[in-house]
Protein backbone atom coordinates (compact mmCIF):
# COMPACT_ATOMS: atom_id res chain seq x y z
CA UNK A 1 0.00 0.00 0.00
CA UNK A 2 1.13 3.50 -0.72
CA UNK A 3 2.07 5.72 2.19
CA UNK A 4 3.06 9.37 2.58
CA UNK A 5 5.24 10.53 5.46
CA UNK A 6 5.87 14.06 6.66
CA UNK A 7 8.46 13.78 9.40
CA UNK A 8 8.30 17.40 10.58
CA UNK A 9 5.18 18.06 12.68
CA UNK A 10 6.17 21.75 12.95
CA UNK A 11 8.62 24.12 11.31
CA UNK A 12 9.34 27.79 11.92
CA UNK A 13 11.09 30.36 9.76
CA UNK A 14 11.87 34.04 9.93
CA UNK A 15 9.88 36.23 7.59
CA UNK A 16 11.66 36.69 4.23
CA UNK A 17 13.80 33.60 4.79
CA UNK A 18 13.59 30.27 2.94
CA UNK A 19 12.17 27.09 4.41
CA UNK A 20 11.97 23.52 3.13
CA UNK A 21 9.26 21.06 4.14
CA UNK A 22 9.99 17.36 3.75
CA UNK A 23 7.82 14.60 2.32
CA UNK A 24 8.65 11.01 1.52
CA UNK A 25 6.38 8.42 0.02
CA UNK A 26 6.35 4.74 -0.67
CA UNK A 27 4.97 3.23 -3.84
CA UNK A 28 5.82 0.54 -6.34
CA UNK A 29 4.12 2.46 -9.14
CA UNK A 30 5.89 4.67 -11.68
CA UNK A 31 2.99 6.79 -12.93
CA UNK A 32 1.68 9.10 -10.25
CA UNK A 33 1.14 12.67 -9.14
CA UNK A 34 2.41 14.39 -6.03
CA UNK A 35 0.81 17.44 -4.47
CA UNK A 36 1.37 20.03 -1.79
CA UNK A 37 -1.74 21.54 -0.21
CA UNK A 38 -1.90 24.47 2.17
CA UNK A 39 -4.49 24.74 4.95
CA UNK A 40 -4.59 28.16 6.65
CA UNK A 41 -6.56 28.73 9.87
CA UNK A 42 -9.66 29.28 7.74
CA UNK A 43 -9.56 25.48 7.11
CA UNK A 44 -9.78 25.90 3.34
CA UNK A 45 -7.54 23.39 1.54
CA UNK A 46 -5.60 25.14 -1.21
CA UNK A 47 -3.51 23.45 -3.87
CA UNK A 48 0.00 24.93 -3.81
CA UNK A 49 1.89 22.90 -6.37
CA UNK A 50 1.84 19.52 -8.10
CA UNK A 51 4.37 17.31 -9.82
CA UNK A 52 3.87 14.54 -12.32
CA UNK A 53 6.25 11.65 -11.73
CA UNK A 54 7.22 11.39 -15.40
CA UNK A 55 8.42 14.98 -15.53
CA UNK A 56 12.04 15.35 -14.51
CA UNK A 57 11.85 19.12 -14.20
CA UNK A 58 10.88 20.30 -10.74
CA UNK A 59 7.60 22.22 -10.60
CA UNK A 60 7.65 25.89 -9.64
CA UNK A 61 4.85 28.30 -8.73
CA UNK A 62 6.16 31.77 -7.92
CA UNK A 63 7.84 31.49 -4.49
CA UNK A 64 7.04 27.79 -4.17
CA UNK A 65 9.17 25.08 -5.72
CA UNK A 66 9.69 21.39 -5.21
CA UNK A 67 12.69 19.11 -5.12
CA UNK A 68 11.43 15.87 -6.61
CA UNK A 69 13.79 12.93 -6.19
CA UNK A 70 11.99 9.98 -7.77
CA UNK A 71 14.57 7.32 -6.95
CA UNK A 72 14.69 8.43 -3.33
CA UNK A 73 10.89 8.86 -3.24
CA UNK A 74 11.27 12.32 -1.83
CA UNK A 75 9.16 15.39 -2.59
CA UNK A 76 10.15 18.46 -0.59
CA UNK A 77 8.57 21.91 -0.80
CA UNK A 78 10.71 25.02 -0.73
CA UNK A 79 9.13 28.35 0.14
CA UNK A 80 11.31 31.35 -0.70
CA UNK A 81 10.94 34.82 0.77
CA UNK A 82 8.50 33.56 3.42
CA UNK A 83 5.54 35.79 4.15
CA UNK A 84 3.21 35.97 7.14
CA UNK A 85 0.41 34.69 4.92
CA UNK A 86 2.34 31.47 4.36
CA UNK A 87 1.64 30.39 7.94
CA UNK A 88 -0.51 27.27 7.67
CA UNK A 89 -0.59 23.50 7.77
CA UNK A 90 1.01 21.97 4.69
CA UNK A 91 0.01 18.55 3.46
CA UNK A 92 1.80 16.34 0.99
CA UNK A 93 -0.38 13.97 -1.04
CA UNK A 94 0.11 11.18 -3.58
CA UNK A 95 -2.18 9.90 -6.31
CA UNK A 96 -1.62 6.88 -8.49
CA UNK A 97 -2.67 7.71 -12.05
CA UNK A 98 -3.89 4.19 -12.62
CA UNK A 99 -6.59 4.66 -10.01
CA UNK A 100 -9.65 5.66 -12.04
CA UNK A 101 -11.30 7.02 -8.88
CA UNK A 102 -8.40 9.43 -8.32
CA UNK A 103 -8.05 8.78 -4.63
CA UNK A 104 -5.34 10.68 -2.79
CA UNK A 105 -3.08 9.38 -0.03
CA UNK A 106 -2.24 12.14 2.47
CA UNK A 107 0.61 12.84 4.83
CA UNK A 108 -0.05 13.95 8.42
CA UNK A 109 0.91 17.55 7.73
CA UNK A 110 3.53 20.08 8.82
CA UNK A 111 2.60 23.22 10.70
CA UNK A 112 4.56 26.18 9.37
CA UNK A 113 5.08 29.15 11.66
CA UNK A 114 6.35 32.44 10.26
CA UNK A 115 8.20 34.67 12.73
CA UNK A 116 7.90 38.41 12.01
CA UNK B 1 -19.17 31.28 -8.01
CA UNK B 2 -19.65 29.40 -4.75
CA UNK B 3 -17.50 26.32 -5.57
CA UNK B 4 -17.98 23.68 -2.87
CA UNK B 5 -20.28 24.56 0.01
CA UNK B 6 -20.62 22.53 3.17
CA UNK B 7 -23.39 22.88 5.71
CA UNK B 8 -23.38 23.15 8.63
CA UNK B 9 -20.02 24.67 9.60
CA UNK B 10 -20.21 23.46 13.19
CA UNK B 11 -22.30 20.89 15.00
CA UNK B 12 -22.40 19.31 18.43
CA UNK B 13 -24.14 15.95 18.84
CA UNK B 14 -24.78 13.66 21.74
CA UNK B 15 -23.79 10.02 21.47
CA UNK B 16 -26.44 8.10 19.58
CA UNK B 17 -27.90 11.07 17.74
CA UNK B 18 -28.02 11.19 13.97
CA UNK B 19 -27.27 13.93 11.50
CA UNK B 20 -26.60 14.63 7.84
CA UNK B 21 -23.86 16.79 6.40
CA UNK B 22 -24.57 18.40 3.07
CA UNK B 23 -22.03 19.11 0.36
CA UNK B 24 -23.09 21.09 -2.69
CA UNK B 25 -20.97 22.02 -5.70
CA UNK B 26 -21.90 24.25 -8.59
CA UNK B 27 -19.09 23.28 -10.97
CA UNK B 28 -20.84 20.29 -12.56
CA UNK B 29 -18.14 17.99 -11.23
CA UNK B 30 -18.62 14.24 -11.57
CA UNK B 31 -16.44 13.13 -8.66
CA UNK B 32 -17.19 13.97 -5.05
CA UNK B 33 -15.44 12.87 -1.85
CA UNK B 34 -15.93 12.95 1.89
CA UNK B 35 -12.84 13.08 4.11
CA UNK B 36 -12.28 13.36 7.81
CA UNK B 37 -9.34 15.19 9.34
CA UNK B 38 -8.02 14.34 12.78
CA UNK B 39 -5.10 15.91 14.68
CA UNK B 40 -1.74 14.43 13.71
CA UNK B 41 -3.20 12.57 10.78
CA UNK B 42 -3.71 13.32 7.15
CA UNK B 43 -7.07 13.38 5.48
CA UNK B 44 -8.75 10.00 5.39
CA UNK B 45 -11.30 9.11 2.76
CA UNK B 46 -14.69 8.04 4.09
CA UNK B 47 -16.78 7.58 0.96
CA UNK B 48 -16.71 8.87 -2.57
CA UNK B 49 -18.87 9.07 -5.66
CA UNK B 50 -17.92 8.98 -9.31
CA UNK B 51 -21.31 10.10 -10.54
CA UNK B 52 -24.96 10.63 -9.73
CA UNK B 53 -26.50 7.58 -8.13
CA UNK B 54 -23.16 5.87 -7.41
CA UNK B 55 -21.15 5.71 -4.20
CA UNK B 56 -18.22 3.68 -2.94
CA UNK B 57 -16.39 3.08 0.33
CA UNK B 58 -13.12 4.72 1.11
CA UNK B 59 -10.54 4.01 3.79
CA UNK B 60 -12.74 4.59 6.88
CA UNK B 61 -16.41 4.04 5.94
CA UNK B 62 -17.72 2.39 9.11
CA UNK B 63 -20.41 4.37 10.90
CA UNK B 64 -21.18 6.56 7.88
CA UNK B 65 -23.55 6.40 4.96
CA UNK B 66 -23.72 8.56 1.86
CA UNK B 67 -26.07 9.38 -0.97
CA UNK B 68 -25.68 11.12 -4.32
CA UNK B 69 -29.20 11.53 -5.62
CA UNK B 70 -28.33 14.69 -7.50
CA UNK B 71 -25.07 15.38 -9.29
CA UNK B 72 -24.44 18.57 -7.38
CA UNK B 73 -25.08 17.18 -3.89
CA UNK B 74 -23.27 14.59 -1.81
CA UNK B 75 -24.70 13.82 1.62
CA UNK B 76 -22.85 12.23 4.52
CA UNK B 77 -24.96 10.65 7.23
CA UNK B 78 -24.19 9.50 10.74
CA UNK B 79 -26.96 7.20 11.96
CA UNK B 80 -25.74 6.84 15.55
CA UNK B 81 -22.96 9.25 16.41
CA UNK B 82 -20.03 8.12 18.55
CA UNK B 83 -17.29 10.19 20.25
CA UNK B 84 -14.78 8.61 17.84
CA UNK B 85 -16.53 10.51 15.05
CA UNK B 86 -15.51 13.84 16.53
CA UNK B 87 -13.53 15.34 13.67
CA UNK B 88 -13.43 17.94 10.94
CA UNK B 89 -15.17 16.73 7.81
CA UNK B 90 -14.24 17.93 4.34
CA UNK B 91 -16.04 17.53 1.08
CA UNK B 92 -14.19 17.80 -2.22
CA UNK B 93 -15.05 17.54 -5.88
CA UNK B 94 -13.25 17.30 -9.17
CA UNK B 95 -13.88 17.09 -12.88
CA UNK B 96 -13.58 13.72 -14.56
CA UNK B 97 -12.52 15.01 -17.96
CA UNK B 98 -8.83 15.30 -17.15
CA UNK B 99 -6.77 13.00 -14.98
CA UNK B 100 -4.84 15.92 -13.55
CA UNK B 101 -7.79 18.17 -12.72
CA UNK B 102 -7.44 19.41 -9.15
CA UNK B 103 -9.62 18.77 -6.12
CA UNK B 104 -11.81 21.62 -4.95
CA UNK B 105 -12.52 21.61 -1.23
CA UNK B 106 -15.24 22.98 0.95
CA UNK B 107 -14.40 24.82 4.16
CA UNK B 108 -15.10 21.88 6.41
CA UNK B 109 -17.57 20.98 9.14
CA UNK B 110 -16.37 20.69 12.71
CA UNK B 111 -18.35 17.95 14.45
CA UNK B 112 -18.14 17.25 18.16
CA UNK B 113 -19.81 14.18 19.64
CA UNK B 114 -20.17 14.22 23.41
Amino acid sequence: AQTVTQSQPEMSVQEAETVTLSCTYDTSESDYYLFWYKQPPSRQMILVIRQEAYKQQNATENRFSVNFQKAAKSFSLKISDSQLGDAAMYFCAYRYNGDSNYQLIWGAGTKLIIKP
Amino acid sequence: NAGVTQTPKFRVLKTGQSMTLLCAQDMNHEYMYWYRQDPGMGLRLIHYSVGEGTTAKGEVPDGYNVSRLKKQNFLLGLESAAPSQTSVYFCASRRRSSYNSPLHFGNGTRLTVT
Side-chain angles (χ1 to χ4, degrees):
Chain A
Q2 296 95 343
T3 58
V4 176
T5 302
Q6 293 179 249
S7 59
Q8 306 153 317
E10 187 174 297
M11 292 280 287
S12 63
V13 63
Q14 207 72 35
E15 191 177 4
E17 299 284 304
T18 295
V19 64
T20 299
L21 308 184
S22 301
C23 173
T24 58
Y25 58 96
D26 187 24
T27 184
S28 58
E29 308 294 345
S30 60
D31 184 14
Y32 52 86
Y33 257 96
L34 295 163
F35 306 84
W36 278 99
Y37 278 86
K38 170 185 177 181
Q39 186 181 40
S42 66
R43 288 205 310 241
Q44 177 77 43
M45 295 288 281
I46 303 164
L47 177 65
V48 175
I49 199 166
R50 58 186 168 183
Q51 174 83 40
E52 188 169 11
Y54 274 115
K55 292 188 177 178
Q56 294 187 351
Q57 186 172 6
N58 288 326
T60 299
E61 291 287 343
N62 299 315
R63 297 182 295 107
F64 298 86
S65 61
V66 298
N67 183 6
F68 174 48
Q69 302 289 328
K70 191 172 183 179
K73 296 179 183 176
S74 171
F75 183 60
S76 60
L77 175 69
K78 185 172 83 172
I79 305 174
S80 304
D81 185 26
S82 299
Q83 301 176 359
L84 294 178
D86 295 333
M89 285 290 293
Y90 285 81
F91 292 92
C92 179
Y94 161 98
R95 189 192 76 214
Y96 168 47
N97 285 344
D99 178 359
S100 59
N101 297 320
Y102 304 103
Q103 297 183 52
L104 271 70
I105 309 299
W106 297 78
T110 296
K111 182 178 181 180
L112 179 63
I113 298 168
I114 310 294
K115 298 177 182 178
Chain B
N1 189 359
V4 179
T5 303
Q6 291 183 232
T7 53
K9 291 183 172 54
F10 302 93
R11 186 70 187 269
V12 178
L13 287 179
K14 293 184 177 179
T15 298
Q17 287 184 320
S18 63
M19 77 162 294
T20 301
L21 280 65
L22 171 63
C23 176
Q25 52 93 6
D26 61 2
M27 298 170 283
N28 202 35
H29 285 171
E30 292 83 5
Y31 288 77
M32 297 187 75
Y33 305 82
W34 274 109
Y35 290 95
R36 61 178 288 172
Q37 183 180 33
D38 300 296
M41 302 182 73
L43 293 174
R44 292 185 292 168
L45 183 64
I46 305 171
H47 286 279
Y48 64 98
S49 169
V50 300
E52 181 179 329
T54 70
T55 63
K57 294 180 179 179
E59 179 186 356
V60 288
D62 293 342
Y64 305 95
N65 56 76
V66 289
S67 64
R68 184 101 181 265
L69 299 179
K70 294 182 179 181
K71 186 177 184 179
Q72 64 268 34
N73 295 336
F74 194 29
L75 279 62
L76 178 70
L78 286 73
E79 290 185 350
S80 179
S84 61
Q85 294 177 304
T86 293
S87 188
V88 179
Y89 292 85
F90 284 94
C91 177
S93 70
R94 66 185 301 279
R95 190 179 305 281
R96 180 172 58 194
S97 59
S98 172
Y99 71 93
N100 64 350
S101 62
L103 279 175
H104 296 258
F105 282 88
N107 283 344
T109 296
R110 181 175 294 279
L111 174 65
T112 302
V113 183
T114 61

